[in-house]
Coordinates of all heavy atoms in Angstrom, one line a residue:
M1 N -73.8 -109.3 -139.3 CA -72.7 -108.4 -138.9 C -73.2 -106.9 -139.0 O -73.7 -106.5 -140.0 CB -71.4 -108.6 -139.7 CG -70.3 -107.7 -139.2 SD -68.9 -107.9 -140.3 CE -67.7 -108.6 -139.1
K2 N -73.0 -106.2 -137.9 CA -73.5 -104.8 -137.9 C -72.5 -103.9 -138.7 O -71.3 -104.0 -138.5 CB -73.6 -104.3 -136.5 CG -74.2 -103.0 -136.3 CD -74.3 -102.6 -134.8 CE -74.8 -101.2 -134.7 NZ -74.9 -100.8 -133.3
E3 N -73.0 -103.0 -139.5 CA -72.2 -102.1 -140.3 C -71.6 -101.0 -139.3 O -72.3 -100.6 -138.4 CB -73.0 -101.4 -141.4 CG -73.1 -102.2 -142.6 CD -73.7 -101.4 -143.8 OE1 -73.2 -100.3 -144.0 OE2 -74.6 -101.9 -144.4
S4 N -70.4 -100.6 -139.6 CA -69.8 -99.5 -138.8 C -70.4 -98.2 -139.3 O -70.6 -98.0 -140.5 CB -68.3 -99.5 -138.9 OG -67.9 -99.4 -140.2
P5 N -70.6 -97.2 -138.4 CA -71.2 -95.9 -138.8 C -70.2 -95.2 -139.7 O -69.0 -95.3 -139.5 CB -71.4 -95.2 -137.5 CG -70.6 -95.9 -136.5 CD -70.4 -97.3 -136.9
L6 N -70.7 -94.4 -140.5 CA -69.9 -93.5 -141.4 C -69.4 -92.3 -140.6 O -70.1 -91.7 -139.9 CB -70.7 -93.0 -142.6 CG -70.0 -92.0 -143.5 CD1 -68.9 -92.7 -144.2 CD2 -71.0 -91.4 -144.5
V7 N -68.1 -92.1 -140.7 CA -67.5 -91.0 -140.0 C -67.0 -90.0 -141.1 O -66.4 -90.4 -142.1 CB -66.2 -91.4 -139.2 CG1 -65.5 -90.2 -138.7 CG2 -66.7 -92.3 -138.0
T8 N -67.4 -88.7 -141.0 CA -67.0 -87.7 -141.9 C -65.9 -86.9 -141.3 O -66.0 -86.4 -140.2 CB -68.2 -86.8 -142.2 OG1 -69.3 -87.6 -142.8 CG2 -67.8 -85.7 -143.2
I9 N -64.8 -86.7 -142.1 CA -63.7 -85.8 -141.8 C -63.8 -84.6 -142.7 O -63.6 -84.8 -143.9 CB -62.4 -86.6 -141.9 CG1 -62.3 -87.8 -141.0 CG2 -61.2 -85.6 -141.6 CD1 -61.2 -88.7 -141.2
A10 N -64.0 -83.5 -142.2 CA -64.1 -82.3 -143.0 C -62.8 -81.5 -142.9 O -62.3 -81.3 -141.8 CB -65.2 -81.4 -142.6
I11 N -62.2 -81.1 -144.0 CA -61.0 -80.3 -144.1 C -61.3 -79.0 -144.8 O -61.3 -78.9 -146.0 CB -59.9 -81.1 -144.8 CG1 -59.6 -82.5 -144.2 CG2 -58.6 -80.3 -144.8 CD1 -58.6 -83.3 -144.9
P12 N -61.5 -78.0 -144.0 CA -61.7 -76.7 -144.6 C -60.3 -76.1 -145.0 O -59.3 -76.3 -144.2 CB -62.3 -75.8 -143.5 CG -61.9 -76.5 -142.2 CD -61.7 -77.9 -142.5
C13 N -60.2 -75.5 -146.1 CA -58.9 -75.0 -146.5 C -59.0 -73.7 -147.3 O -59.9 -73.5 -148.1 CB -58.1 -76.1 -147.2 SG -58.8 -76.5 -148.8
F14 N -57.9 -72.9 -147.2 CA -57.7 -71.7 -148.0 C -56.3 -71.7 -148.6 O -56.1 -71.3 -149.7 CB -58.0 -70.5 -147.2 CG -57.9 -69.2 -148.0 CD1 -58.9 -68.9 -148.9 CD2 -56.8 -68.4 -147.9 CE1 -58.8 -67.7 -149.6 CE2 -56.7 -67.2 -148.7 CZ -57.7 -66.9 -149.5
K15 N -55.4 -72.2 -147.8 CA -54.0 -72.3 -148.3 C -53.7 -73.8 -148.6 O -54.1 -74.7 -147.9 CB -53.0 -71.8 -147.2 CG -53.2 -70.4 -146.8 CD -52.7 -69.5 -147.9 CE -52.8 -68.0 -147.4 NZ -52.3 -67.1 -148.4
A16 N -52.9 -74.0 -149.6 CA -52.6 -75.4 -150.1 C -51.4 -76.0 -149.3 O -51.1 -77.2 -149.4 CB -52.3 -75.4 -151.6
K17 N -50.7 -75.2 -148.5 CA -49.4 -75.6 -148.0 C -49.4 -77.0 -147.3 O -48.5 -77.8 -147.5 CB -48.9 -74.6 -147.0 CG -47.5 -74.8 -146.4 CD -47.0 -73.7 -145.6 CE -45.6 -74.0 -145.1 NZ -45.0 -72.9 -144.3
Y18 N -50.4 -77.3 -146.4 CA -50.4 -78.5 -145.7 C -51.5 -79.4 -146.1 O -51.8 -80.5 -145.4 CB -50.5 -78.3 -144.2 CG -49.3 -77.5 -143.6 CD1 -49.4 -76.2 -143.2 CD2 -48.0 -78.1 -143.6 CE1 -48.4 -75.4 -142.8 CE2 -46.9 -77.3 -143.1 CZ -47.1 -76.0 -142.7 OH -46.0 -75.3 -142.2
L19 N -52.2 -79.1 -147.2 CA -53.4 -79.9 -147.6 C -53.0 -81.3 -147.9 O -53.7 -82.3 -147.5 CB -54.1 -79.2 -148.7 CG -55.4 -79.9 -149.2 CD1 -56.4 -80.1 -148.1 CD2 -55.9 -79.2 -150.4
D20 N -52.0 -81.6 -148.6 CA -51.5 -82.9 -149.0 C -51.4 -83.8 -147.7 O -51.9 -84.9 -147.6 CB -50.2 -82.9 -149.8 CG -49.8 -84.2 -150.3 OD1 -50.4 -84.6 -151.3 OD2 -48.9 -84.8 -149.7
K21 N -50.7 -83.2 -146.7 CA -50.5 -84.0 -145.5 C -51.8 -84.2 -144.7 O -52.0 -85.3 -144.1 CB -49.5 -83.2 -144.6 CG -48.1 -83.3 -145.1 CD -47.1 -82.5 -144.1 CE -45.7 -82.6 -144.7 NZ -44.8 -82.0 -143.8
A22 N -52.7 -83.2 -144.7 CA -54.0 -83.4 -144.0 C -54.8 -84.5 -144.7 O -55.4 -85.3 -144.0 CB -54.7 -82.0 -144.0
I23 N -54.9 -84.5 -146.0 CA -55.6 -85.5 -146.7 C -55.0 -86.9 -146.5 O -55.7 -87.9 -146.2 CB -55.7 -85.2 -148.2 CG1 -56.6 -83.9 -148.4 CG2 -56.4 -86.4 -149.0 CD1 -56.5 -83.4 -149.9
T24 N -53.7 -87.0 -146.6 CA -53.0 -88.3 -146.3 C -53.3 -88.8 -144.9 O -53.6 -90.0 -144.8 CB -51.5 -88.1 -146.5 OG1 -51.2 -87.7 -147.9 CG2 -50.8 -89.4 -146.2
S25 N -53.3 -87.9 -144.0 CA -53.6 -88.3 -142.6 C -55.0 -88.8 -142.4 O -55.3 -89.8 -141.8 CB -53.3 -87.1 -141.6 OG -53.7 -87.5 -140.3
A26 N -55.9 -88.0 -143.0 CA -57.4 -88.4 -142.9 C -57.6 -89.8 -143.6 O -58.3 -90.6 -143.0 CB -58.2 -87.3 -143.5
L27 N -57.1 -90.0 -144.7 CA -57.3 -91.2 -145.4 C -56.6 -92.4 -144.8 O -56.9 -93.6 -145.1 CB -56.9 -91.1 -146.9 CG -57.8 -90.2 -147.7 CD1 -57.2 -90.0 -149.1 CD2 -59.2 -90.6 -147.8
S28 N -55.6 -92.2 -144.0 CA -54.8 -93.2 -143.3 C -55.4 -93.7 -142.0 O -54.8 -94.6 -141.4 CB -53.4 -92.7 -143.1 OG -52.8 -92.4 -144.3
Q29 N -56.6 -93.2 -141.6 CA -57.2 -93.6 -140.4 C -57.5 -95.1 -140.4 O -57.8 -95.6 -141.4 CB -58.4 -92.8 -140.1 CG -58.1 -91.3 -139.9 CD -57.1 -91.0 -138.9 OE1 -57.2 -91.4 -137.7 NE2 -56.0 -90.3 -139.3
T30 N -57.5 -95.7 -139.2 CA -57.8 -97.1 -139.1 C -59.3 -97.4 -139.2 O -59.7 -98.6 -139.5 CB -57.2 -97.7 -137.8 OG1 -57.8 -97.0 -136.7 CG2 -55.7 -97.6 -137.8
W31 N -60.1 -96.4 -139.0 CA -61.6 -96.6 -139.1 C -61.9 -96.8 -140.6 O -61.5 -96.0 -141.5 CB -62.3 -95.4 -138.6 CG -63.8 -95.6 -138.4 CD1 -64.8 -95.2 -139.3 CD2 -64.5 -96.4 -137.4 NE1 -66.0 -95.6 -138.9 CE2 -65.8 -96.3 -137.7 CE3 -64.0 -97.0 -136.3 CZ2 -66.8 -96.9 -136.9 CZ3 -65.0 -97.6 -135.5 CH2 -66.3 -97.6 -135.8
N32 N -62.6 -97.9 -141.0 CA -62.8 -98.2 -142.4 C -63.9 -97.4 -143.1 O -63.7 -97.0 -144.3 CB -63.2 -99.7 -142.5 CG -62.0 -100.6 -142.1 OD1 -60.9 -100.3 -142.4 ND2 -62.4 -101.7 -141.5
N33 N -64.9 -97.0 -142.4 CA -66.1 -96.4 -143.1 C -66.0 -94.9 -142.9 O -66.6 -94.3 -142.0 CB -67.4 -96.9 -142.5 CG -68.6 -96.6 -143.3 OD1 -68.4 -96.2 -144.5 ND2 -69.7 -96.8 -142.8
I34 N -65.2 -94.2 -143.7 CA -65.0 -92.8 -143.6 C -65.2 -92.1 -145.0 O -65.2 -92.7 -146.1 CB -63.6 -92.4 -143.2 CG1 -62.5 -92.8 -144.2 CG2 -63.3 -92.9 -141.8 CD1 -61.2 -92.2 -143.9
E35 N -65.6 -90.8 -144.9 CA -65.6 -90.0 -146.1 C -64.8 -88.7 -145.7 O -64.8 -88.3 -144.5 CB -67.0 -89.6 -146.5 CG -67.7 -88.7 -145.6 CD -69.1 -88.3 -146.1 OE1 -69.4 -88.5 -147.3 OE2 -69.9 -87.8 -145.3
V36 N -64.0 -88.2 -146.6 CA -63.2 -87.0 -146.3 C -63.7 -85.9 -147.3 O -63.7 -86.1 -148.5 CB -61.7 -87.3 -146.5 CG1 -60.9 -86.0 -146.3 CG2 -61.2 -88.4 -145.6
I37 N -64.1 -84.8 -146.7 CA -64.6 -83.7 -147.6 C -63.7 -82.5 -147.4 O -63.5 -82.0 -146.3 CB -66.1 -83.3 -147.1 CG1 -67.0 -84.5 -147.2 CG2 -66.6 -82.2 -148.0 CD1 -68.4 -84.3 -146.6
V38 N -63.1 -82.1 -148.5 CA -62.2 -80.9 -148.6 C -63.1 -79.8 -149.0 O -63.7 -79.8 -150.1 CB -61.0 -81.1 -149.5 CG1 -60.2 -79.9 -149.7 CG2 -60.2 -82.3 -149.1
V39 N -63.2 -78.7 -148.2 CA -64.0 -77.5 -148.5 C -63.0 -76.4 -148.9 O -62.3 -75.9 -148.0 CB -64.9 -77.1 -147.4 CG1 -65.7 -75.9 -147.8 CG2 -65.8 -78.3 -147.0
D40 N -62.9 -76.1 -150.1 CA -62.1 -75.0 -150.6 C -62.8 -73.7 -150.4 O -63.9 -73.4 -151.0 CB -61.8 -75.3 -152.1 CG -61.0 -74.2 -152.8 OD1 -60.8 -73.1 -152.2 OD2 -60.6 -74.5 -153.9
D41 N -62.3 -72.8 -149.6 CA -62.9 -71.5 -149.3 C -62.6 -70.5 -150.3 O -62.0 -69.4 -149.9 CB -62.6 -71.1 -147.8 CG -63.6 -70.0 -147.4 OD1 -64.7 -69.9 -148.0 OD2 -63.3 -69.3 -146.4
S42 N -62.8 -70.8 -151.6 CA -62.5 -69.9 -152.7 C -61.0 -69.4 -152.7 O -60.7 -68.3 -152.8 CB -63.5 -68.7 -152.6 OG -63.5 -68.0 -153.9
S43 N -60.2 -70.4 -152.6 CA -58.7 -70.1 -152.5 C -58.2 -69.7 -153.8 O -58.6 -70.3 -154.9 CB -58.0 -71.4 -152.0 OG -56.6 -71.2 -152.0
P44 N -57.1 -68.9 -153.8 CA -56.4 -68.6 -155.1 C -55.5 -69.7 -155.4 O -55.0 -69.9 -156.5 CB -55.7 -67.3 -154.8 CG -55.5 -67.3 -153.3 CD -56.7 -68.0 -152.7
D45 N -55.2 -70.6 -154.4 CA -54.3 -71.8 -154.7 C -55.1 -72.8 -155.4 O -56.3 -72.9 -155.4 CB -53.8 -72.4 -153.4 CG -52.9 -71.4 -152.6 OD1 -52.5 -70.4 -153.1 OD2 -52.7 -71.7 -151.4
D46 N -54.4 -73.7 -156.1 CA -55.1 -74.8 -156.9 C -55.4 -76.0 -156.0 O -54.7 -77.0 -156.1 CB -54.3 -75.2 -158.1 CG -55.0 -76.1 -159.1 OD1 -56.2 -76.3 -158.8 OD2 -54.4 -76.5 -160.1
I47 N -56.4 -75.9 -155.2 CA -56.7 -76.9 -154.2 C -57.2 -78.2 -154.9 O -56.9 -79.3 -154.6 CB -57.8 -76.4 -153.2 CG1 -57.4 -75.1 -152.5 CG2 -58.3 -77.5 -152.3 CD1 -56.2 -75.3 -151.6
L48 N -58.0 -78.0 -156.0 CA -58.6 -79.1 -156.7 C -57.5 -80.1 -157.3 O -57.6 -81.3 -157.2 CB -59.5 -78.7 -157.8 CG -60.2 -79.7 -158.7 CD1 -61.0 -80.7 -157.8 CD2 -61.0 -79.1 -159.8
S49 N -56.4 -79.5 -157.8 CA -55.4 -80.4 -158.3 C -54.7 -81.3 -157.3 O -54.4 -82.4 -157.5 CB -54.3 -79.6 -159.1 OG -53.5 -78.8 -158.1
I50 N -54.7 -80.8 -156.0 CA -54.1 -81.6 -154.9 C -55.1 -82.7 -154.6 O -54.7 -83.8 -154.4 CB -53.9 -80.7 -153.7 CG1 -52.8 -79.7 -154.0 CG2 -53.5 -81.5 -152.5 CD1 -52.6 -78.6 -153.0
V51 N -56.4 -82.4 -154.5 CA -57.4 -83.4 -154.2 C -57.4 -84.5 -155.3 O -57.5 -85.7 -155.0 CB -58.8 -82.7 -154.1 CG1 -59.9 -83.8 -154.0 CG2 -58.8 -81.8 -152.9
K52 N -57.3 -84.1 -156.6 CA -57.4 -85.1 -157.7 C -56.2 -86.0 -157.6 O -56.3 -87.2 -158.1 CB -57.4 -84.3 -159.0 CG -58.7 -83.7 -159.3 CD -58.7 -83.1 -160.7 CE -60.1 -82.6 -161.1 NZ -60.1 -82.0 -162.4
R53 N -55.1 -85.7 -157.1 CA -53.9 -86.6 -157.0 C -54.2 -87.8 -156.2 O -53.5 -88.9 -156.4 CB -52.7 -85.9 -156.4 CG -52.0 -84.9 -157.3 CD -50.7 -84.4 -156.6 NE -50.9 -83.0 -156.3 CZ -50.2 -82.4 -155.4 NH1 -49.3 -82.9 -154.7 NH2 -50.4 -81.1 -155.3
F54 N -55.2 -87.8 -155.3 CA -55.4 -88.9 -154.5 C -56.2 -90.0 -155.1 O -56.1 -91.2 -154.7 CB -56.1 -88.5 -153.2 CG -55.1 -87.8 -152.3 CD1 -54.9 -86.4 -152.4 CD2 -54.4 -88.5 -151.3 CE1 -53.9 -85.8 -151.6 CE2 -53.4 -87.9 -150.5 CZ -53.2 -86.5 -150.6
N55 N -57.1 -89.7 -156.0 CA -57.9 -90.8 -156.7 C -58.5 -91.8 -155.7 O -58.3 -93.0 -155.8 CB -57.1 -91.4 -157.8 CG -57.9 -92.3 -158.7 OD1 -59.1 -92.0 -158.9 ND2 -57.4 -93.3 -159.3
D56 N -59.3 -91.3 -154.7 CA -59.8 -92.1 -153.7 C -61.3 -91.8 -153.6 O -61.7 -90.7 -153.5 CB -59.1 -91.8 -152.4 CG -59.5 -92.8 -151.3 OD1 -60.7 -93.1 -151.0 OD2 -58.5 -93.4 -150.7
E57 N -62.2 -92.8 -153.7 CA -63.6 -92.6 -153.8 C -64.2 -92.1 -152.4 O -65.3 -91.6 -152.4 CB -64.3 -93.9 -154.2 CG -64.2 -95.1 -153.2 CD -64.8 -96.3 -153.6 OE1 -65.0 -96.5 -154.8 OE2 -65.1 -97.2 -152.7
R58 N -63.4 -92.2 -151.4 CA -63.8 -91.7 -150.1 C -63.6 -90.1 -150.0 O -64.1 -89.5 -149.0 CB -63.1 -92.3 -148.9 CG -63.3 -93.8 -148.9 CD -62.3 -94.5 -147.9 NE -60.9 -94.2 -148.3 CZ -59.9 -94.4 -147.6 NH1 -60.0 -94.9 -146.3 NH2 -58.7 -94.2 -148.0
L59 N -63.0 -89.6 -151.0 CA -62.6 -88.2 -150.9 C -63.5 -87.3 -151.8 O -63.7 -87.7 -153.0 CB -61.1 -88.0 -151.4 CG -60.5 -86.6 -151.4 CD1 -60.5 -86.1 -150.0 CD2 -59.1 -86.7 -151.9
R60 N -64.1 -86.2 -151.2 CA -64.9 -85.3 -152.0 C -64.4 -83.9 -151.9 O -63.7 -83.6 -150.9 CB -66.4 -85.4 -151.4 CG -67.1 -86.7 -151.7 CD -68.5 -86.7 -151.3 NE -69.1 -85.4 -150.9 CZ -70.0 -85.2 -150.0 NH1 -70.6 -86.3 -149.4 NH2 -70.5 -84.0 -149.7
Y61 N -64.7 -83.1 -152.9 CA -64.2 -81.8 -153.0 C -65.4 -80.8 -153.2 O -66.3 -81.1 -154.0 CB -63.3 -81.6 -154.2 CG -62.9 -80.2 -154.5 CD1 -61.9 -79.6 -153.8 CD2 -63.5 -79.5 -155.6 CE1 -61.5 -78.3 -154.1 CE2 -63.2 -78.2 -155.9 CZ -62.1 -77.6 -155.2 OH -61.8 -76.3 -155.5
V62 N -65.5 -79.8 -152.4 CA -66.5 -78.7 -152.5 C -65.8 -77.4 -152.5 O -64.9 -77.1 -151.7 CB -67.5 -78.8 -151.3 CG1 -68.5 -77.7 -151.4 CG2 -68.2 -80.1 -151.2
R63 N -66.2 -76.5 -153.4 CA -65.6 -75.2 -153.5 C -66.7 -74.1 -153.2 O -67.7 -74.1 -153.9 CB -65.0 -74.9 -154.9 CG -64.3 -73.5 -155.0 CD -63.6 -73.3 -156.3 NE -63.2 -72.0 -156.5 CZ -62.1 -71.4 -156.0 NH1 -61.2 -72.1 -155.3 NH2 -61.8 -70.1 -156.3
N64 N -66.4 -73.3 -152.3 CA -67.3 -72.1 -152.0 C -67.2 -71.1 -153.2 O -66.1 -70.9 -153.6 CB -67.0 -71.4 -150.7 CG -67.2 -72.3 -149.5 OD1 -68.0 -73.3 -149.6 ND2 -66.5 -72.0 -148.4
E65 N -68.3 -70.6 -153.6 CA -68.3 -69.6 -154.7 C -67.6 -68.3 -154.3 O -66.9 -67.7 -155.1 CB -69.7 -69.3 -155.2 CG -70.3 -70.4 -156.0 CD -71.7 -70.0 -156.5 OE1 -71.9 -68.8 -156.7 OE2 -72.5 -70.9 -156.7
K66 N -67.7 -68.0 -153.0 CA -67.0 -66.8 -152.5 C -66.4 -67.2 -151.1 O -66.8 -68.1 -150.5 CB -67.9 -65.6 -152.4 CG -69.0 -65.7 -151.3 CD -69.7 -64.4 -151.2 CE -70.7 -64.5 -150.0 NZ -71.3 -63.2 -149.7
N67 N -65.4 -66.5 -150.7 CA -64.7 -66.8 -149.5 C -65.6 -66.5 -148.3 O -66.2 -65.4 -148.2 CB -63.4 -65.9 -149.4 CG -62.7 -66.2 -148.1 OD1 -63.0 -65.7 -147.1 ND2 -61.6 -67.0 -148.2
L68 N -65.8 -67.5 -147.4 CA -66.7 -67.3 -146.3 C -65.9 -67.0 -145.0 O -66.5 -66.8 -144.0 CB -67.6 -68.5 -146.1 CG -68.4 -68.9 -147.3 CD1 -69.2 -70.2 -147.1 CD2 -69.4 -67.8 -147.7
G69 N -64.6 -67.1 -145.1 CA -63.8 -66.9 -143.9 C -63.7 -65.4 -143.6 O -64.1 -64.5 -144.4
V70 N -63.1 -65.1 -142.5 CA -62.9 -63.7 -142.1 C -61.6 -63.2 -142.8 O -60.5 -63.6 -142.6 CB -62.7 -63.5 -140.6 CG1 -62.5 -62.1 -140.2 CG2 -63.9 -64.1 -139.9
L71 N -61.8 -62.3 -143.8 CA -60.7 -61.7 -144.5 C -60.1 -60.5 -143.8 O -58.9 -60.3 -143.8 CB -61.1 -61.4 -145.9 CG -61.5 -62.5 -146.8 CD1 -62.0 -62.0 -148.2 CD2 -60.4 -63.5 -147.0
N72 N -61.0 -59.7 -143.3 CA -60.5 -58.4 -142.6 C -61.3 -58.3 -141.3 O -62.3 -57.7 -141.3 CB -60.8 -57.2 -143.5 CG -60.1 -57.2 -144.8 OD1 -58.9 -57.4 -144.8 ND2 -60.7 -57.1 -145.9
P73 N -60.7 -58.9 -140.2 CA -61.4 -58.8 -138.9 C -61.6 -57.4 -138.4 O -60.9 -56.5 -138.8 CB -60.5 -59.6 -138.0 CG -59.2 -59.9 -138.7 CD -59.4 -59.5 -140.2

């Protein structure tokens, strides 16, 4: 039997407001072989605590040391 390819779902975030829903949606996909990577863009919100609530081995957390987004266009 051929293995299904790994699909990566990346969730960049700075605000925590909709993160719970985004992670729930990503982990609920019907494709079995997925990884979900949450990239915290040095948010002042506690993004890590939201990620830890899921306790799912398919979920990874990365935090940027400094904000890489456009703060002042």
